[in-house]
Amino acid sequence: MNLTPRQQEIIDIIATQGRLSISAIKELLDRKLSIPTLNRDMAKLVEANYLKKLGAGRAITYVISPDYQLFAPVDTSDYFDLDPDRRGARVFFNHELLQSLRDVRLFTDKEMAGLQKLRDEYQRNIASLSPTLYQKELERLTIELSWKSSQIEGNTYTLLETERLFKEKQEADNKTKEEAIMLLNHKEVITYLMEHKNLAQALTLRTLEEIHSLLIKDLNVGCNIRSRAVGITGTAYSPLDNEYQIRENLELMCGLINSKDNGFEKALLAVVLISYIQPFEDGNKRTGRMISNALLIADDACPLSYRSVDSLDYKKAMLLFYEQNNLTAFKTIFIEQNEFGVKNYFR
């Protein structure tokens, strides 16, 4: 739905003020408007699922719909030009988010049809490859996924240095031992996921902890769910700091993901929600990417390497979800990377 300036003003008012009656909205509008005209606008916004109508009769009020909150258009350039404390960010964990995501469709019919078409193309591609060519393509995907996932976390290995590390077991000069370990741990996880393709058929907390343990092996990082606060650079958002609440929300997340009907929705939820909950002292985004790929693999879809993503764009999209629970930017990355994967690997 293309919003008129007046409809956008209505949404902005409710987003700022919270739950409002139609008379209160009328008073706050800049322009004079009759109640019947305003009612027509409100009905259209409710029909488009941008607003939710609560109550009945004179007690009717309106709130922003979770669908609109997730997919409201945001100019990320303007948004990130502001200092973290001036963005109007959610500072604390949104305890209503997981429940609100149960009834939300993450992809439009057109987007879902495109993703399913890509999955079918991927299956045709791998069916036509000889075992030798399949292994070569898998090796290339493993190198590029390990490199990019590590680069997003600040690893300074180049793609060619990563290839040499994997193929020749030669570490790069002037790089830390920990950087090599991070890359090799990614390789181990990807190999494990491809050998256990049904691992995430039903996502469990145990699987989440298992993949995290493999990713942070020999990196002097705790394996257990954290029991203390953790800060995130560049944002005012503070994740949960109570071990029992973290565990509870991870269980809720697994239930939410398992309730979805298709692997693409499951994979998108996993990559953003594991990062949002931040269950471990380190390695959360890596774990989110690998669990997300496990869900794609279980759904016979192509794993994502994120090779063509700018690391800063990735981080901004994730921060936008942390701060506004807005999925628009990261969903765009997710869809683009599905297309990139199918068009560049196993062909």
Side-chain angles (χ1 to χ4, degrees):
M1 174 180 175
N2 293 321
L3 296 174
T4 67
R6 187 173 66 221
Q7 290 166 344
Q8 185 63 61
E9 185 183 356
I10 291 168
I11 287 175
D12 291 342
I13 287 170
I14 298 173
T16 302
Q17 300 290 328
R19 184 170 174 171
L20 290 174
S21 66
I22 196 162
S23 59
I25 295 166
K26 183 176 182 297
E27 289 297 317
L28 291 167
L29 281 168
D30 287 340
R31 62 204 81 196
K32 299 297 182 183
L33 201 64
S34 68
I35 287 293
T37 300
L38 181 54
N39 270 324
R40 285 193 291 273
D41 272 339
M42 301 304 286
K44 289 178 182 177
L45 291 171
V46 169
E47 183 182 4
N49 209 16
Y50 288 178
L51 298 179
K52 282 194 174 297
K53 184 166 72 171
L54 306 176
R58 293 182 179 276
I60 287 175
T61 54
Y62 297 87
V63 296
I64 298 294
S65 162
D67 292 56
Y68 184 78
Q69 184 71 48
L70 271 176
F71 301 118
V74 176
D75 187 321
T76 54
S77 297
D78 289 346
Y79 184 81
F80 286 103
D81 279 345
L82 298 173
D83 292 336
D85 295 327
R86 295 183 56 214
R87 294 178 195 150
R90 288 181 177 271
V91 177
F92 300 111
F93 182 86
N94 180 3
H95 289 276
E96 298 175 358
L97 178 62
L98 293 174
Q99 183 60 41
S100 72
L101 286 167
R102 284 195 171 272
D103 299 321
V104 173
R105 291 180 68 241
L106 300 183
F107 300 104
T108 64
D109 289 341
K110 182 178 179 181
E111 289 168 342
M112 184 54 64
L115 289 168
Q116 290 170 342
K117 184 177 178 182
L118 287 169
R119 180 177 56 197
D120 293 342
E121 182 179 346
Y122 168 66
Q123 285 298 314
R124 289 194 300 272
N125 289 343
I126 61 174
S128 68
L129 292 177
S130 68
T132 300
L133 285 176
Y134 175 84
Q135 286 303 319
K136 288 187 70 172
E137 285 297 290
L138 178 56
E139 179 182 57
R140 187 164 68 90
L141 171 66
T142 299
I143 292 168
E144 296 186 354
L145 169 53
S146 301
W147 164 70
K148 192 65 187 192
S149 181
S150 298
Q151 187 202 56
I152 290 171
E153 304 310 313
N155 194 301
T156 62
Y157 264 68
T158 66
L159 181 54
L160 290 178
E161 288 169 339
T162 303
E163 180 181 23
R164 185 171 60 181
L165 175 67
F166 284 12
K167 290 184 175 182
E168 303 173 21
K169 297 182 171 49
Q170 183 176 338
E171 296 182 18
D173 296 333
N174 302 317
K175 311 288 184 182
T176 67
K177 182 72 174 176
E178 287 73 21
E179 288 181 291
I181 292 171
M182 180 189 289
L183 289 159
L184 292 168
N185 286 352
H186 273 86
K187 179 184 179 183
E188 182 177 351
V189 170
I190 298 162
T191 301
Y192 182 68
L193 295 181
M194 297 303 289
E195 291 176 350
H196 299 82
K197 294 191 174 183
N198 292 322
L199 180 72
Q201 200 72 55
L203 184 61
T204 65
L205 184 50
R206 180 178 178 180
T207 300
L208 187 67
E209 291 176 313
E210 178 184 12
I211 296 304
H212 174 257
S213 294
L214 291 173
L215 283 166
I216 53 88
K217 185 177 65 176
D218 298 327
L219 288 174
N220 196 29
V221 175
C223 293
N224 299 324
I225 291 174
R226 61 182 172 81
S227 57
R228 61 183 67 184
V230 63
I232 304 173
T233 303
T235 179
Y237 167 67
S238 297
L240 293 167
D241 59 6
N242 181 290
E243 178 182 354
Y244 302 101
Q245 287 185 325
I246 293 171
R247 185 175 294 275
E248 178 186 23
N249 278 280
L250 285 175
E251 295 284 7
L252 288 171
M253 182 198 73
C254 289
L256 167 65
I257 288 170
N258 292 333
S259 73
K260 296 297 182 178
D261 292 332
N262 71 80
F264 295 111
E265 286 204 341
K266 292 179 180 184
L268 178 56
L269 285 171
V271 70
V272 295
L273 288 177
I274 292 170
S275 298
Y276 181 66
I277 296 170
Q278 293 275 311
F280 309 108
E281 65 179 65
D282 197 12
N284 294 289
K285 292 194 295 295
R286 279 168 273 167
T287 302
R289 287 188 287 275
M290 293 303 106
I291 291 292
S292 178
N293 272 329
L295 289 159
L296 289 173
I297 292 166
D299 197 48
D300 295 325
C302 184
L304 308 187
S305 72
Y306 296 98
R307 192 193 83 187
S308 63
V309 174
D310 181 273
S311 297
L312 184 58
D313 289 341
Y314 183 101
K315 292 173 183 176
K316 285 181 176 180
M318 194 62 78
L319 287 180
L320 188 61
F321 185 74
Y322 294 171
E323 296 183 355
Q324 303 295 339
N325 297 155
N326 187 298
L327 196 52
T328 301
F330 202 91
K331 185 173 83 163
T332 298
I333 288 174
F334 182 85
I335 292 172
E336 288 174 350
Q337 286 308 296
N338 269 276
E339 182 170 10
F340 179 86
V342 172
K343 301 301 183 183
N344 285 276
Y345 304 109
F346 303 103
R347 295 184 64 80

PDB file of all heavy atoms in Angstrom, residues 14 17-23 25 39 42-43 45-47 49-66 96:
ATOM      1  N   ILE A  14       0.696   7.912  15.911  1.00  0.00           N
ATOM      2  CA  ILE A  14       0.459   6.752  16.778  1.00  0.00           C
ATOM      3  C   ILE A  14       1.786   6.122  17.205  1.00  0.00           C
ATOM      4  O   ILE A  14       1.938   5.672  18.347  1.00  0.00           O
ATOM      5  CB  ILE A  14      -0.444   5.728  16.070  1.00  0.00           C
ATOM      6  CG1 ILE A  14      -1.805   6.352  15.765  1.00  0.00           C
ATOM      7  CG2 ILE A  14      -0.630   4.467  16.930  1.00  0.00           C
ATOM      8  CD1 ILE A  14      -2.713   5.483  14.923  1.00  0.00           C
ATOM      9  N   GLN A  17       2.992   8.576  19.970  1.00  0.00           N
ATOM     10  CA  GLN A  17       2.142   8.741  21.152  1.00  0.00           C
ATOM     11  C   GLN A  17       1.694   7.417  21.772  1.00  0.00           C
ATOM     12  O   GLN A  17       1.347   7.373  22.947  1.00  0.00           O
ATOM     13  CB  GLN A  17       0.888   9.560  20.773  1.00  0.00           C
ATOM     14  CG  GLN A  17       1.183  10.944  20.244  1.00  0.00           C
ATOM     15  CD  GLN A  17       1.705  11.882  21.316  1.00  0.00           C
ATOM     16  OE1 GLN A  17       1.333  11.763  22.475  1.00  0.00           O
ATOM     17  NE2 GLN A  17       2.578  12.810  20.925  1.00  0.00           N
ATOM     18  N   GLY A  18       1.683   6.352  20.976  1.00  0.00           N
ATOM     19  CA  GLY A  18       1.164   5.083  21.487  1.00  0.00           C
ATOM     20  C   GLY A  18      -0.326   4.947  21.193  1.00  0.00           C
ATOM     21  O   GLY A  18      -0.880   5.598  20.307  1.00  0.00           O
ATOM     22  N   ARG A  19      -0.987   4.111  21.938  1.00  0.00           N
ATOM     23  CA  ARG A  19      -2.401   3.775  21.722  1.00  0.00           C
ATOM     24  C   ARG A  19      -3.289   5.018  21.822  1.00  0.00           C
ATOM     25  O   ARG A  19      -3.260   5.731  22.824  1.00  0.00           O
ATOM     26  CB  ARG A  19      -2.807   2.737  22.764  1.00  0.00           C
ATOM     27  CG  ARG A  19      -4.198   2.188  22.640  1.00  0.00           C
ATOM     28  CD  ARG A  19      -4.320   1.012  23.597  1.00  0.00           C
ATOM     29  NE  ARG A  19      -5.660   0.495  23.672  1.00  0.00           N
ATOM     30  CZ  ARG A  19      -5.982  -0.631  24.295  1.00  0.00           C
ATOM     31  NH1 ARG A  19      -5.033  -1.340  24.895  1.00  0.00           N
ATOM     32  NH2 ARG A  19      -7.231  -1.048  24.320  1.00  0.00           N
ATOM     33  N   LEU A  20      -4.096   5.272  20.752  1.00  0.00           N
ATOM     34  CA  LEU A  20      -4.897   6.500  20.700  1.00  0.00           C
ATOM     35  C   LEU A  20      -6.300   6.227  20.174  1.00  0.00           C
ATOM     36  O   LEU A  20      -6.510   5.329  19.335  1.00  0.00           O
ATOM     37  CB  LEU A  20      -4.237   7.534  19.787  1.00  0.00           C
ATOM     38  CG  LEU A  20      -2.931   8.179  20.259  1.00  0.00           C
ATOM     39  CD1 LEU A  20      -2.373   9.054  19.150  1.00  0.00           C
ATOM     40  CD2 LEU A  20      -3.138   8.987  21.529  1.00  0.00           C
ATOM     41  N   SER A  21      -7.250   7.037  20.624  1.00  0.00           N
ATOM     42  CA  SER A  21      -8.609   7.021  20.069  1.00  0.00           C
ATOM     43  C   SER A  21      -8.632   7.873  18.807  1.00  0.00           C
ATOM     44  O   SER A  21      -7.723   8.675  18.549  1.00  0.00           O
ATOM     45  CB  SER A  21      -9.599   7.580  21.086  1.00  0.00           C
ATOM     46  OG  SER A  21      -9.332   8.965  21.297  1.00  0.00           O
ATOM     47  N   ILE A  22      -9.708   7.717  18.029  1.00  0.00           N
ATOM     48  CA  ILE A  22      -9.783   8.479  16.779  1.00  0.00           C
ATOM     49  C   ILE A  22      -9.921   9.977  17.059  1.00  0.00           C
ATOM     50  O   ILE A  22      -9.391  10.816  16.311  1.00  0.00           O
ATOM     51  CB  ILE A  22     -10.929   7.955  15.886  1.00  0.00           C
ATOM     52  CG1 ILE A  22     -10.741   8.474  14.455  1.00  0.00           C
ATOM     53  CG2 ILE A  22     -12.291   8.323  16.452  1.00  0.00           C
ATOM     54  CD1 ILE A  22     -11.517   7.700  13.424  1.00  0.00           C
ATOM     55  N   SER A  23     -10.601  10.341  18.152  1.00  0.00           N
ATOM     56  CA  SER A  23     -10.737  11.764  18.482  1.00  0.00           C
ATOM     57  C   SER A  23      -9.391  12.365  18.861  1.00  0.00           C
ATOM     58  O   SER A  23      -9.080  13.508  18.500  1.00  0.00           O
ATOM     59  CB  SER A  23     -11.744  11.957  19.613  1.00  0.00           C
ATOM     60  OG  SER A  23     -11.347  11.245  20.774  1.00  0.00           O
ATOM     61  N   ILE A  25      -6.471  11.297  17.758  1.00  0.00           N
ATOM     62  CA  ILE A  25      -5.704  11.387  16.511  1.00  0.00           C
ATOM     63  C   ILE A  25      -6.117  12.651  15.737  1.00  0.00           C
ATOM     64  O   ILE A  25      -5.275  13.384  15.217  1.00  0.00           O
ATOM     65  CB  ILE A  25      -5.908  10.124  15.651  1.00  0.00           C
ATOM     66  CG1 ILE A  25      -5.331   8.902  16.366  1.00  0.00           C
ATOM     67  CG2 ILE A  25      -5.266  10.293  14.271  1.00  0.00           C
ATOM     68  CD1 ILE A  25      -5.760   7.578  15.770  1.00  0.00           C
ATOM     69  N   ASN A  39     -12.099   8.312   9.475  1.00  0.00           N
ATOM     70  CA  ASN A  39     -12.484   6.905   9.620  1.00  0.00           C
ATOM     71  C   ASN A  39     -12.126   6.088   8.381  1.00  0.00           C
ATOM     72  O   ASN A  39     -11.720   4.933   8.484  1.00  0.00           O
ATOM     73  CB  ASN A  39     -13.987   6.796   9.891  1.00  0.00           C
ATOM     74  CG  ASN A  39     -14.311   6.831  11.375  1.00  0.00           C
ATOM     75  OD1 ASN A  39     -13.554   6.304  12.186  1.00  0.00           O
ATOM     76  ND2 ASN A  39     -15.434   7.451  11.727  1.00  0.00           N
ATOM     77  N   MET A  42      -8.453   5.423   8.499  1.00  0.00           N
ATOM     78  CA  MET A  42      -8.144   4.434   9.533  1.00  0.00           C
ATOM     79  C   MET A  42      -8.518   3.030   9.059  1.00  0.00           C
ATOM     80  O   MET A  42      -7.782   2.066   9.283  1.00  0.00           O
ATOM     81  CB  MET A  42      -8.876   4.763  10.833  1.00  0.00           C
ATOM     82  CG  MET A  42      -8.557   6.137  11.419  1.00  0.00           C
ATOM     83  SD  MET A  42      -6.800   6.426  11.711  1.00  0.00           S
ATOM     84  CE  MET A  42      -6.552   5.413  13.162  1.00  0.00           C
ATOM     85  N   ALA A  43      -9.655   2.921   8.384  1.00  0.00           N
ATOM     86  CA  ALA A  43     -10.091   1.612   7.889  1.00  0.00           C
ATOM     87  C   ALA A  43      -9.096   1.049   6.871  1.00  0.00           C
ATOM     88  O   ALA A  43      -8.788  -0.154   6.876  1.00  0.00           O
ATOM     89  CB  ALA A  43     -11.479   1.729   7.261  1.00  0.00           C
ATOM     90  N   LEU A  45      -5.882   1.752   6.705  1.00  0.00           N
ATOM     91  CA  LEU A  45      -4.639   1.400   7.403  1.00  0.00           C
ATOM     92  C   LEU A  45      -4.798   0.104   8.186  1.00  0.00           C
ATOM     93  O   LEU A  45      -3.858  -0.691   8.280  1.00  0.00           O
ATOM     94  CB  LEU A  45      -4.221   2.551   8.326  1.00  0.00           C
ATOM     95  CG  LEU A  45      -3.765   3.824   7.618  1.00  0.00           C
ATOM     96  CD1 LEU A  45      -3.598   4.968   8.620  1.00  0.00           C
ATOM     97  CD2 LEU A  45      -2.458   3.588   6.861  1.00  0.00           C
ATOM     98  N   VAL A  46      -5.982  -0.120   8.728  1.00  0.00           N
ATOM     99  CA  VAL A  46      -6.241  -1.385   9.427  1.00  0.00           C
ATOM    100  C   VAL A  46      -6.289  -2.538   8.426  1.00  0.00           C
ATOM    101  O   VAL A  46      -5.718  -3.614   8.645  1.00  0.00           O
ATOM    102  CB  VAL A  46      -7.560  -1.307  10.226  1.00  0.00           C
ATOM    103  CG1 VAL A  46      -7.975  -2.685  10.745  1.00  0.00           C
ATOM    104  CG2 VAL A  46      -7.416  -0.334  11.395  1.00  0.00           C
ATOM    105  N   GLU A  47      -6.948  -2.313   7.269  1.00  0.00           N
ATOM    106  CA  GLU A  47      -7.047  -3.348   6.239  1.00  0.00           C
ATOM    107  C   GLU A  47      -5.664  -3.730   5.711  1.00  0.00           C
ATOM    108  O   GLU A  47      -5.387  -4.901   5.434  1.00  0.00           O
ATOM    109  CB  GLU A  47      -7.923  -2.859   5.085  1.00  0.00           C
ATOM    110  CG  GLU A  47      -8.139  -3.902   3.999  1.00  0.00           C
ATOM    111  CD  GLU A  47      -8.978  -3.376   2.845  1.00  0.00           C
ATOM    112  OE1 GLU A  47      -9.326  -2.175   2.856  1.00  0.00           O
ATOM    113  OE2 GLU A  47      -9.285  -4.165   1.935  1.00  0.00           O
ATOM    114  N   ASN A  49      -3.068  -3.739   7.416  1.00  0.00           N
ATOM    115  CA  ASN A  49      -2.354  -4.285   8.583  1.00  0.00           C
ATOM    116  C   ASN A  49      -1.206  -3.382   9.027  1.00  0.00           C
ATOM    117  O   ASN A  49      -0.208  -3.848   9.567  1.00  0.00           O
ATOM    118  CB  ASN A  49      -1.836  -5.705   8.312  1.00  0.00           C
ATOM    119  CG  ASN A  49      -1.757  -6.530   9.584  1.00  0.00           C
ATOM    120  OD1 ASN A  49      -2.341  -6.175  10.608  1.00  0.00           O
ATOM    121  ND2 ASN A  49      -1.017  -7.621   9.541  1.00  0.00           N
ATOM    122  N   TYR A  50      -1.365  -2.086   8.799  1.00  0.00           N
ATOM    123  CA  TYR A  50      -0.411  -1.115   9.327  1.00  0.00           C
ATOM    124  C   TYR A  50      -0.800  -0.696  10.747  1.00  0.00           C
ATOM    125  O   TYR A  50       0.058  -0.347  11.553  1.00  0.00           O
ATOM    126  CB  TYR A  50      -0.355   0.120   8.432  1.00  0.00           C
ATOM    127  CG  TYR A  50       0.325  -0.096   7.097  1.00  0.00           C
ATOM    128  CD1 TYR A  50       0.421   0.926   6.170  1.00  0.00           C
ATOM    129  CD2 TYR A  50       0.868  -1.343   6.749  1.00  0.00           C
ATOM    130  CE1 TYR A  50       1.045   0.743   4.935  1.00  0.00           C
ATOM    131  CE2 TYR A  50       1.486  -1.535   5.528  1.00  0.00           C
ATOM    132  CZ  TYR A  50       1.572  -0.497   4.626  1.00  0.00           C
ATOM    133  OH  TYR A  50       2.184  -0.685   3.422  1.00  0.00           O
ATOM    134  N   LEU A  51      -2.123  -0.715  11.011  1.00  0.00           N
ATOM    135  CA  LEU A  51      -2.633  -0.425  12.342  1.00  0.00           C
ATOM    136  C   LEU A  51      -3.502  -1.573  12.826  1.00  0.00           C
ATOM    137  O   LEU A  51      -4.064  -2.318  12.019  1.00  0.00           O
ATOM    138  CB  LEU A  51      -3.491   0.859  12.329  1.00  0.00           C
ATOM    139  CG  LEU A  51      -2.830   2.174  11.930  1.00  0.00           C
ATOM    140  CD1 LEU A  51      -3.867   3.289  11.957  1.00  0.00           C
ATOM    141  CD2 LEU A  51      -1.662   2.507  12.839  1.00  0.00           C
ATOM    142  N   LYS A  52      -3.612  -1.694  14.146  1.00  0.00           N
ATOM    143  CA  LYS A  52      -4.554  -2.638  14.750  1.00  0.00           C
ATOM    144  C   LYS A  52      -5.602  -1.854  15.518  1.00  0.00           C
ATOM    145  O   LYS A  52      -5.287  -0.901  16.221  1.00  0.00           O
ATOM    146  CB  LYS A  52      -3.834  -3.618  15.674  1.00  0.00           C
ATOM    147  CG  LYS A  52      -3.114  -4.729  14.930  1.00  0.00           C
ATOM    148  CD  LYS A  52      -2.722  -5.855  15.869  1.00  0.00           C
ATOM    149  CE  LYS A  52      -2.126  -7.032  15.092  1.00  0.00           C
ATOM    150  NZ  LYS A  52      -3.113  -7.639  14.168  1.00  0.00           N
ATOM    151  N   LYS A  53      -6.878  -2.290  15.353  1.00  0.00           N
ATOM    152  CA  LYS A  53      -7.986  -1.653  16.055  1.00  0.00           C
ATOM    153  C   LYS A  53      -8.315  -2.479  17.289  1.00  0.00           C
ATOM    154  O   LYS A  53      -8.543  -3.691  17.198  1.00  0.00           O
ATOM    155  CB  LYS A  53      -9.193  -1.540  15.130  1.00  0.00           C
ATOM    156  CG  LYS A  53     -10.360  -0.798  15.746  1.00  0.00           C
ATOM    157  CD  LYS A  53     -11.394  -0.415  14.695  1.00  0.00           C
ATOM    158  CE  LYS A  53     -12.162  -1.603  14.182  1.00  0.00           C
ATOM    159  NZ  LYS A  53     -13.305  -1.195  13.329  1.00  0.00           N
ATOM    160  N   LEU A  54      -8.345  -1.821  18.438  1.00  0.00           N
ATOM    161  CA  LEU A  54      -8.599  -2.496  19.705  1.00  0.00           C
ATOM    162  C   LEU A  54      -9.883  -1.966  20.320  1.00  0.00           C
ATOM    163  O   LEU A  54     -10.189  -0.774  20.215  1.00  0.00           O
ATOM    164  CB  LEU A  54      -7.436  -2.262  20.678  1.00  0.00           C
ATOM    165  CG  LEU A  54      -6.031  -2.626  20.177  1.00  0.00           C
ATOM    166  CD1 LEU A  54      -4.986  -2.238  21.216  1.00  0.00           C
ATOM    167  CD2 LEU A  54      -5.937  -4.111  19.852  1.00  0.00           C
ATOM    168  N   GLY A  55     -10.650  -2.860  20.986  1.00  0.00           N
ATOM    169  CA  GLY A  55     -11.862  -2.440  21.663  1.00  0.00           C
ATOM    170  C   GLY A  55     -13.043  -2.357  20.725  1.00  0.00           C
ATOM    171  O   GLY A  55     -12.999  -2.799  19.573  1.00  0.00           O
ATOM    172  N   ALA A  56     -14.153  -1.753  21.222  1.00  0.00           N
ATOM    173  CA  ALA A  56     -15.379  -1.636  20.432  1.00  0.00           C
ATOM    174  C   ALA A  56     -16.102  -0.365  20.819  1.00  0.00           C
ATOM    175  O   ALA A  56     -15.897   0.201  21.899  1.00  0.00           O
ATOM    176  CB  ALA A  56     -16.270  -2.854  20.674  1.00  0.00           C
ATOM    177  N   GLY A  57     -16.961   0.102  19.904  1.00  0.00           N
ATOM    178  CA  GLY A  57     -17.777   1.273  20.181  1.00  0.00           C
ATOM    179  C   GLY A  57     -16.943   2.509  20.449  1.00  0.00           C
ATOM    180  O   GLY A  57     -15.971   2.801  19.761  1.00  0.00           O
ATOM    181  N   ARG A  58     -17.333   3.249  21.490  1.00  0.00           N
ATOM    182  CA  ARG A  58     -16.614   4.473  21.845  1.00  0.00           C
ATOM    183  C   ARG A  58     -15.242   4.201  22.447  1.00  0.00           C
ATOM    184  O   ARG A  58     -14.423   5.113  22.591  1.00  0.00           O
ATOM    185  CB  ARG A  58     -17.457   5.287  22.834  1.00  0.00           C
ATOM    186  CG  ARG A  58     -18.736   5.847  22.233  1.00  0.00           C
ATOM    187  CD  ARG A  58     -19.484   6.682  23.249  1.00  0.00           C
ATOM    188  NE  ARG A  58     -20.703   7.238  22.696  1.00  0.00           N
ATOM    189  CZ  ARG A  58     -20.778   8.367  21.989  1.00  0.00           C
ATOM    190  NH1 ARG A  58     -19.678   9.068  21.774  1.00  0.00           N
ATOM    191  NH2 ARG A  58     -21.934   8.802  21.520  1.00  0.00           N
ATOM    192  N   ALA A  59     -15.004   2.933  22.809  1.00  0.00           N
ATOM    193  CA  ALA A  59     -13.727   2.577  23.439  1.00  0.00           C
ATOM    194  C   ALA A  59     -12.663   2.150  22.428  1.00  0.00           C
ATOM    195  O   ALA A  59     -11.581   1.709  22.805  1.00  0.00           O
ATOM    196  CB  ALA A  59     -13.943   1.462  24.457  1.00  0.00           C
ATOM    197  N   ILE A  60     -12.963   2.274  21.122  1.00  0.00           N
ATOM    198  CA  ILE A  60     -12.005   1.845  20.098  1.00  0.00           C
ATOM    199  C   ILE A  60     -10.746   2.712  20.152  1.00  0.00           C
ATOM    200  O   ILE A  60     -10.813   3.939  20.227  1.00  0.00           O
ATOM    201  CB  ILE A  60     -12.625   1.933  18.694  1.00  0.00           C
ATOM    202  CG1 ILE A  60     -13.657   0.814  18.501  1.00  0.00           C
ATOM    203  CG2 ILE A  60     -11.544   1.823  17.605  1.00  0.00           C
ATOM    204  CD1 ILE A  60     -14.405   0.904  17.188  1.00  0.00           C
ATOM    205  N   THR A  61      -9.600   2.046  20.108  1.00  0.00           N
ATOM    206  CA  THR A  61      -8.309   2.729  20.005  1.00  0.00           C
ATOM    207  C   THR A  61      -7.475   2.038  18.938  1.00  0.00           C
ATOM    208  O   THR A  61      -7.792   0.930  18.491  1.00  0.00           O
ATOM    209  CB  THR A  61      -7.551   2.718  21.345  1.00  0.00           C
ATOM    210  OG1 THR A  61      -7.440   1.354  21.799  1.00  0.00           O
ATOM    211  CG2 THR A  61      -8.256   3.549  22.400  1.00  0.00           C
ATOM    212  N   TYR A  62      -6.383   2.695  18.537  1.00  0.00           N
ATOM    213  CA  TYR A  62      -5.530   2.183  17.466  1.00  0.00           C
ATOM    214  C   TYR A  62      -4.077   2.132  17.932  1.00  0.00           C
ATOM    215  O   TYR A  62      -3.612   3.021  18.654  1.00  0.00           O
ATOM    216  CB  TYR A  62      -5.643   3.067  16.228  1.00  0.00           C
ATOM    217  CG  TYR A  62      -7.022   3.087  15.623  1.00  0.00           C
ATOM    218  CD1 TYR A  62      -7.981   3.990  16.080  1.00  0.00           C
ATOM    219  CD2 TYR A  62      -7.373   2.196  14.622  1.00  0.00           C
ATOM    220  CE1 TYR A  62      -9.252   4.019  15.536  1.00  0.00           C
ATOM    221  CE2 TYR A  62      -8.644   2.212  14.070  1.00  0.00           C
ATOM    222  CZ  TYR A  62      -9.586   3.122  14.528  1.00  0.00           C
ATOM    223  OH  TYR A  62     -10.844   3.125  13.989  1.00  0.00           O
ATOM    224  N   VAL A  63      -3.379   1.083  17.511  1.00  0.00           N
ATOM    225  CA  VAL A  63      -1.945   0.941  17.781  1.00  0.00           C
ATOM    226  C   VAL A  63      -1.246   0.545  16.488  1.00  0.00           C
ATOM    227  O   VAL A  63      -1.881   0.060  15.546  1.00  0.00           O
ATOM    228  CB  VAL A  63      -1.655  -0.117  18.868  1.00  0.00           C
ATOM    229  CG1 VAL A  63      -2.232   0.293  20.208  1.00  0.00           C
ATOM    230  CG2 VAL A  63      -2.178  -1.495  18.450  1.00  0.00           C
ATOM    231  N   ILE A  64       0.063   0.728  16.453  1.00  0.00           N
ATOM    232  CA  ILE A  64       0.859   0.280  15.299  1.00  0.00           C
ATOM    233  C   ILE A  64       0.871  -1.234  15.245  1.00  0.00           C
ATOM    234  O   ILE A  64       1.091  -1.914  16.245  1.00  0.00           O
ATOM    235  CB  ILE A  64       2.302   0.823  15.396  1.00  0.00           C
ATOM    236  CG1 ILE A  64       2.312   2.353  15.368  1.00  0.00           C
ATOM    237  CG2 ILE A  64       3.173   0.258  14.278  1.00  0.00           C
ATOM    238  CD1 ILE A  64       1.860   2.970  14.078  1.00  0.00           C
ATOM    239  N   SER A  65       0.637  -1.789  14.069  1.00  0.00           N
ATOM    240  CA  SER A  65       0.665  -3.232  13.883  1.00  0.00           C
ATOM    241  C   SER A  65       2.100  -3.750  13.918  1.00  0.00           C
ATOM    242  O   SER A  65       3.020  -3.075  13.441  1.00  0.00           O
ATOM    243  CB  SER A  65       0.047  -3.593  12.534  1.00  0.00           C
ATOM    244  OG  SER A  65       0.405  -4.883  12.119  1.00  0.00           O
ATOM    245  N   PRO A  66       2.318  -4.956  14.470  1.00  0.00           N
ATOM    246  CA  PRO A  66       3.662  -5.549  14.406  1.00  0.00           C
ATOM    247  C   PRO A  66       4.188  -5.659  12.973  1.00  0.00           C
ATOM    248  O   PRO A  66       5.378  -5.536  12.736  1.00  0.00           O
ATOM    249  CB  PRO A  66       3.461  -6.937  15.030  1.00  0.00           C
ATOM    250  CG  PRO A  66       2.282  -6.791  15.922  1.00  0.00           C
ATOM    251  CD  PRO A  66       1.384  -5.803  15.229  1.00  0.00           C
ATOM    252  N   GLU A  96       7.839  -8.524  24.001  1.00  0.00           N
ATOM    253  CA  GLU A  96       6.652  -8.857  23.217  1.00  0.00           C
ATOM    254  C   GLU A  96       6.996  -9.273  21.786  1.00  0.00           C
ATOM    255  O   GLU A  96       6.137  -9.735  21.045  1.00  0.00           O
ATOM    256  CB  GLU A  96       5.700  -7.658  23.178  1.00  0.00           C
ATOM    257  CG  GLU A  96       5.188  -7.247  24.552  1.00  0.00           C
ATOM    258  CD  GLU A  96       4.338  -5.994  24.507  1.00  0.00           C
ATOM    259  OE1 GLU A  96       4.190  -5.446  23.390  1.00  0.00           O
ATOM    260  OE2 GLU A  96       3.843  -5.564  25.549  1.00  0.00           O
TER     261      GLU A  96
END
